[in-house]
Amino acid sequence: MKIPVIEIFGPTIQGEGAVIGKKTIFIRTAGCDYQCSWCDSAFTWDGSGKEDITMMNAEEIFRELEKIGLDNFEHVTISGGNPALIKSLSTLIRLLKEKNFKVGLETQGSVWQDWMVEIDDLTISPKPPSSGMKTDFDRLEDILQLLTKRIDNGHVSIKVVIFNDKDLQYAKNVHKKFPAVPFYLQVGNEDLSDESNERLALMLIQKLEWLVSKVVVDPEFNNVRVLPQLHTLLWGNKKGV
């Protein structure tokens, strides 16, 4: 029941999705079934981070959280890669819940795991055309149907990262297919090598302004929320924050 962990860091704040701004600890797992062109954590799947992977069971991971300081947080985010590839996460999720921690997780909606119904803040983030990936909408629909009760209780949302007009049209189509699911549009960072936080923040703010200008005049986006990529605005392309 080992889990491939590539990093554990925090406390920090969640920079994306429905729980943006929430204080949390990140557990990042290795491995992904996608290879998005603009992925900001490609080290989880492209081989560049393989030396950082540690196979850990749930108890070992929790001991690492204890070292960080359990009094400093009440929310844990499991990230990737695509953590939905890892069936053994069920043991970690169960342990965290037993210890009274809330659990968040993001996945693209390409793989189902039974433990998804236990996640407190589950973000389904299908990838738009700019990623170079293709969405299996039948599978995505099946997963969202299995999560119906969690959607009704506000534990599940959809987030689409936007880079251009094609991505925005894709997001519109997704929103039309699943109108009952809380929906978030978020600006994407396409400059992963820029070491200037100020220059990157300015670029992201300009893109956010562009996205807002598109959404506010479109009646098909009356029930969506537009987000910045908060952690990138604060820390640029720095890892481990």
Side-chain angles (χ1 to χ4, degrees):
M1 303 296 287
K2 296 280 188 175
I3 298 165
V5 176
I6 202 163
E7 59 179 349
I8 298 175
F9 63 92
T12 184
I13 59 168
Q14 173 58 260
E16 304 183 345
V19 288
I20 188 170
K22 190 172 186 67
K23 186 178 180 182
T24 191
I25 287 284
F26 277 86
I27 301 168
R28 189 182 299 280
T29 61
C32 193
D33 50 331
Y34 279 17
Q35 297 181 1
C36 296
S37 61
W38 36 250
C39 180
D40 61 2
S41 53
F43 58 90
T44 62
W45 52 262
D46 67 3
S48 62
K50 62 182 179 181
E51 300 300 325
D52 297 322
I53 298 172
T54 303
M55 300 302 297
M56 306 173 72
N57 60 35
E59 291 75 18
E60 290 168 335
I61 293 172
F62 194 77
R63 284 199 290 271
E64 288 299 312
L65 298 181
E66 286 183 307
K67 291 179 183 178
I68 291 172
L70 297 179
D71 292 336
N72 289 337
F73 59 95
E74 298 178 356
H75 189 274
V76 176
T77 299
I78 304 172
S79 185
N82 183 9
L85 297 175
I86 306 170
K87 186 176 182 178
S88 57
L89 276 179
S90 58
T91 57
L92 175 61
I93 293 164
R94 190 179 309 121
L95 178 59
L96 291 170
K97 304 284 279 187
E98 287 173 359
K99 300 292 186 178
N100 295 317
F101 288 94
K102 298 291 186 181
V103 181
L105 185 141
E106 179 174 321
T107 177
Q108 54 260 48
S110 59
V111 180
W112 169 258
Q113 297 288 356
D114 290 341
W115 49 250
M116 285 183 180
V117 298
E118 302 300 323
I119 300 297
D120 297 289
D121 303 300
L122 180 61
T123 300
I124 305 296
S125 185
K127 306 309 178 188
S130 62
S131 70
M133 300 294 103
K134 186 174 181 180
T135 301
D136 184 335
F137 281 102
D138 290 337
R139 180 170 295 181
L140 181 60
E141 183 173 5
D142 289 343
I143 288 172
L144 288 169
Q145 285 180 346
L146 289 167
L147 291 167
T148 297
K149 290 182 179 180
R150 305 297 285 176
I151 293 169
D152 293 342
N153 291 335
H155 293 288
V156 177
S157 61
I158 294 175
K159 182 196 75 179
V160 179
V161 179
I162 305 298
F163 288 85
N164 54 43
D165 285 311
K166 287 185 178 180
D167 289 353
L168 197 57
Q169 182 59 51
Y170 168 90
K172 185 180 294 187
N173 294 338
V174 174
H175 187 40
K176 285 180 181 177
K177 286 179 180 291
F178 310 108
V181 186
F183 200 89
Y184 295 81
L185 300 173
Q186 182 173 299
V187 171
N189 173 23
E190 58 192 350
D191 192 351
L192 302 175
S193 61
D194 198 329
E195 296 181 357
S196 169
N197 291 3
E198 293 79 9
R199 185 167 55 241
L200 183 58
L202 178 59
M203 182 269 290
L204 289 173
I205 290 171
Q206 291 171 339
K207 292 189 69 174
L208 180 62
E209 184 180 14
W210 166 81
L211 180 56
V212 169
S213 71
K214 293 282 188 175
V215 170
V216 295
V217 297
D218 193 329
E220 294 183 273
F221 282 134
N222 284 355
N223 197 28
V224 307
R225 298 183 185 183
V226 181
L227 301 177
Q229 198 176 59
L230 185 56
H231 59 288
T232 308
L233 283 177
L234 292 173
W235 299 298
N237 287 316
K238 185 179 179 180
K239 288 174 58 179
V241 290

